[in-house]
Amino acid sequence: MTSLQDRILDAALPDIAFDGWTDTVLERAAQKSGLHKADVSRAFPSGAFEALEYFTQRADKRMAETLKRDYAMKDMKIRERIATAVMVRLREQAPHREAVRRGLAVYALPWHVPAGLRALYRTTDEMWHQAGDTATDWNHYSKRIILSKVYMSTLYVWLDDNSPNLAETEAFLRRRIE
Protein backbone atom coordinates (compact mmCIF):
# COMPACT_ATOMS: atom_id res chain seq x y z
CA MET A 1 0.00 0.00 0.00
CA THR A 2 2.86 2.38 0.74
CA SER A 3 3.74 2.95 -2.92
CA LEU A 4 0.15 3.93 -3.66
CA GLN A 5 0.13 6.24 -0.65
CA ASP A 6 3.44 7.77 -1.70
CA ARG A 7 2.28 8.25 -5.26
CA ILE A 8 -0.89 10.07 -4.24
CA LEU A 9 0.77 12.08 -1.49
CA ASP A 10 3.68 13.19 -3.67
CA ALA A 11 1.27 14.34 -6.38
CA ALA A 12 -0.88 16.14 -3.79
CA LEU A 13 1.85 18.04 -1.94
CA PRO A 14 2.11 20.97 -4.38
CA ASP A 15 -1.67 21.51 -4.18
CA ILE A 16 -1.82 21.04 -0.41
CA ALA A 17 0.33 24.14 -0.09
CA PHE A 18 -2.54 26.16 -1.59
CA ASP A 19 -5.70 24.17 -0.92
CA GLY A 20 -4.89 22.42 2.35
CA TRP A 21 -5.28 18.82 3.46
CA THR A 22 -8.56 17.95 1.75
CA ASP A 23 -10.07 14.91 0.08
CA THR A 24 -10.54 17.01 -3.08
CA VAL A 25 -6.79 17.63 -3.28
CA LEU A 26 -6.09 13.91 -2.88
CA GLU A 27 -8.61 13.00 -5.58
CA ARG A 28 -7.12 15.58 -7.94
CA ALA A 29 -3.64 14.19 -7.21
CA ALA A 30 -4.82 10.67 -7.98
CA GLN A 31 -6.22 11.79 -11.31
CA LYS A 32 -2.95 13.61 -12.15
CA SER A 33 -1.14 10.35 -11.39
CA GLY A 34 -3.37 8.30 -13.67
CA LEU A 35 -5.24 6.74 -10.75
CA HIS A 36 -8.92 6.60 -9.89
CA LYS A 37 -10.78 8.32 -7.07
CA ALA A 38 -11.30 4.91 -5.52
CA ASP A 39 -7.54 4.58 -5.16
CA VAL A 40 -7.59 7.47 -2.71
CA SER A 41 -10.04 5.57 -0.52
CA ARG A 42 -7.84 2.49 -0.73
CA ALA A 43 -4.70 4.43 0.16
CA PHE A 44 -6.26 6.65 2.82
CA PRO A 45 -9.56 5.13 4.05
CA SER A 46 -10.05 7.95 6.57
CA GLY A 47 -9.35 10.63 3.99
CA ALA A 48 -7.10 13.65 4.06
CA PHE A 49 -6.40 13.47 7.79
CA GLU A 50 -4.98 9.98 7.33
CA ALA A 51 -2.82 11.36 4.50
CA LEU A 52 -1.50 14.01 6.90
CA GLU A 53 -0.70 11.34 9.46
CA TYR A 54 1.10 9.32 6.79
CA PHE A 55 3.03 12.42 5.68
CA THR A 56 4.20 13.00 9.27
CA GLN A 57 5.19 9.37 9.83
CA ARG A 58 6.97 9.25 6.49
CA ALA A 59 8.97 12.34 7.44
CA ASP A 60 10.01 10.64 10.70
CA LYS A 61 11.08 7.53 8.82
CA ARG A 62 13.05 9.51 6.24
CA MET A 63 14.76 11.51 9.00
CA ALA A 64 15.83 8.28 10.70
CA GLU A 65 17.11 6.82 7.43
CA THR A 66 19.13 9.95 6.67
CA LEU A 67 20.61 10.07 10.16
CA LYS A 68 21.66 6.42 9.94
CA ARG A 69 23.07 6.77 6.45
CA ASP A 70 24.76 10.18 6.51
CA TYR A 71 25.76 10.96 10.09
CA ALA A 72 28.08 9.37 12.63
CA MET A 73 25.79 10.07 15.56
CA LYS A 74 27.94 8.03 17.98
CA ASP A 75 30.82 10.43 17.44
CA MET A 76 28.77 13.48 18.45
CA LYS A 77 27.93 14.89 21.85
CA ILE A 78 24.30 14.40 22.82
CA ARG A 79 23.30 18.03 22.20
CA GLU A 80 24.84 17.85 18.74
CA ARG A 81 22.94 14.62 18.01
CA ILE A 82 19.64 16.23 18.92
CA ALA A 83 20.40 19.42 16.98
CA THR A 84 21.39 17.31 13.97
CA ALA A 85 18.18 15.28 14.16
CA VAL A 86 16.02 18.41 14.35
CA MET A 87 17.81 20.10 11.45
CA VAL A 88 17.72 16.97 9.29
CA ARG A 89 13.97 16.71 9.87
CA LEU A 90 13.45 20.36 8.95
CA ARG A 91 15.77 20.36 5.94
CA GLU A 92 14.06 17.31 4.50
CA GLN A 93 10.69 18.98 4.90
CA ALA A 94 11.84 22.26 3.35
CA PRO A 95 10.33 21.54 -0.09
CA HIS A 96 6.97 21.00 1.65
CA ARG A 97 7.05 23.89 4.10
CA GLU A 98 3.57 25.10 3.22
CA ALA A 99 2.11 21.60 3.49
CA VAL A 100 3.69 21.39 6.96
CA ARG A 101 2.15 24.77 7.85
CA ARG A 102 -1.25 23.56 6.66
CA GLY A 103 -0.77 20.32 8.59
CA LEU A 104 -0.05 22.21 11.80
CA ALA A 105 -3.33 24.08 11.32
CA VAL A 106 -5.17 20.75 10.99
CA TYR A 107 -3.48 19.32 14.08
CA ALA A 108 -4.46 22.48 15.99
CA LEU A 109 -8.18 21.82 15.49
CA PRO A 110 -9.66 20.73 18.83
CA TRP A 111 -10.73 17.31 17.56
CA HIS A 112 -7.24 16.64 16.12
CA VAL A 113 -5.13 17.89 19.04
CA PRO A 114 -4.67 14.37 20.53
CA ALA A 115 -3.43 13.07 17.16
CA GLY A 116 -1.16 16.10 16.80
CA LEU A 117 0.36 15.42 20.21
CA ARG A 118 0.88 11.77 19.29
CA ALA A 119 2.61 12.83 16.07
CA LEU A 120 4.83 15.23 18.00
CA TYR A 121 5.70 12.50 20.48
CA ARG A 122 6.55 10.06 17.68
CA THR A 123 8.84 12.63 16.08
CA THR A 124 10.69 13.52 19.28
CA ASP A 125 10.85 9.88 20.32
CA GLU A 126 12.46 9.00 16.99
CA MET A 127 14.93 11.85 17.40
CA TRP A 128 15.96 10.58 20.83
CA HIS A 129 16.08 7.02 19.55
CA GLN A 130 18.43 8.09 16.75
CA ALA A 131 20.50 10.01 19.31
CA GLY A 132 21.02 6.74 21.16
CA ASP A 133 18.78 7.35 24.16
CA THR A 134 18.09 4.20 26.15
CA ALA A 135 16.39 5.72 29.20
CA THR A 136 13.41 3.75 30.50
CA ASP A 137 12.59 5.70 33.65
CA TRP A 138 10.88 9.09 34.04
CA ASN A 139 13.86 10.58 32.20
CA HIS A 140 12.59 8.93 28.99
CA TYR A 141 9.45 11.07 29.10
CA SER A 142 11.01 14.27 30.41
CA LYS A 143 13.53 14.27 27.55
CA ARG A 144 10.75 13.99 25.01
CA ILE A 145 8.66 16.70 26.64
CA ILE A 146 11.60 19.09 26.69
CA LEU A 147 12.52 18.25 23.09
CA SER A 148 8.89 18.73 22.05
CA LYS A 149 9.01 22.31 23.28
CA VAL A 150 12.37 22.93 21.59
CA TYR A 151 11.26 21.27 18.35
CA MET A 152 7.93 23.10 18.12
CA SER A 153 9.43 26.53 18.80
CA THR A 154 12.14 25.81 16.23
CA LEU A 155 9.54 24.58 13.76
CA TYR A 156 7.70 27.91 13.97
CA VAL A 157 10.93 29.82 13.29
CA TRP A 158 11.66 27.47 10.37
CA LEU A 159 8.28 28.18 8.78
CA ASP A 160 9.33 31.78 8.07
CA ASP A 161 13.09 31.32 7.67
CA ASN A 162 14.39 32.53 4.32
CA SER A 163 18.03 32.65 5.35
CA PRO A 164 20.67 30.70 3.40
CA ASN A 165 20.80 27.04 4.48
CA LEU A 166 18.30 27.76 7.29
CA ALA A 167 20.95 29.67 9.26
CA GLU A 168 18.37 31.55 11.35
CA THR A 169 16.58 28.35 12.28
CA GLU A 170 19.80 26.61 13.20
CA ALA A 171 20.98 29.56 15.32
CA PHE A 172 17.62 29.62 17.10
CA LEU A 173 17.80 25.88 17.73
CA ARG A 174 21.33 26.12 19.13
CA ARG A 175 20.19 28.83 21.57
CA ARG A 176 17.25 26.70 22.69
CA ILE A 177 19.47 23.65 23.24
CA GLU A 178 22.02 25.64 25.21
Side-chain angles (χ1 to χ4, degrees), residues 152-163:
M152 285 306 294
S153 61
T154 304
L155 180 64
Y156 285 114
V157 170
W158 170 81
L159 285 171
D160 293 321
D161 184 358
N162 294 314
S163 65

Side-chain angles (χ1 to χ4, degrees), residues 46-109:
S46 297
F49 185 72
E50 187 173 346
L52 171 59
E53 295 257 271
Y54 179 75
F55 173 69
T56 306
Q57 291 171 2
R58 184 174 80 168
D60 291 340
K61 181 180 176 188
R62 287 181 174 176
M63 173 196 63
E65 290 168 354
T66 299
L67 289 169
K68 287 176 187 173
R69 183 185 63 241
D70 298 342
Y71 295 89
M73 297 290 271
K74 293 178 187 175
D75 298 338
M76 299 178 193
K77 293 183 178 182
I78 194 69
R79 290 179 180 201
E80 188 64 27
R81 293 177 197 180
I82 292 300
T84 299
V86 171
M87 290 309 299
V88 164
R89 179 74 152 71
L90 296 176
R91 283 192 175 101
E92 288 185 348
Q93 290 294 95
H96 312 297
R97 193 182 312 223
E98 291 307 313
V100 171
R101 186 187 312 270
R102 294 291 195 126
L104 289 170
V106 172
Y107 279 135
L109 294 170

Side-chain angles (χ1 to χ4, degrees), residues 133-153:
D133 181 52
T134 58
T136 57
D137 57 0
W138 66 272
N139 220 359
H140 172 90
Y141 298 101
S142 65
K143 287 177 180 180
R144 281 139 182 88
I145 290 168
I146 292 167
L147 181 55
S148 293
K149 291 163 64 174
V150 169
Y151 176 68
M152 285 306 294
S153 61

Side-chain angles (χ1 to χ4, degrees), residues 5 31 37 54 58 85 95 106 116 123-125 135 139 171 175:
Q5 291 171 317
Q31 289 174 334
K37 278 182 165 182
Y54 179 75
R58 184 174 80 168
V106 172
T123 298
T124 57
D125 185 53
N139 220 359
R175 288 191 305 271

Side-chain angles (χ1 to χ4, degrees), residues 114-132:
L117 291 172
R118 281 191 302 273
L120 177 59
Y121 180 84
R122 278 191 309 267
T123 298
T124 57
D125 185 53
E126 187 60 42
M127 288 174 179
W128 273 113
H129 178 74
Q130 293 304 315

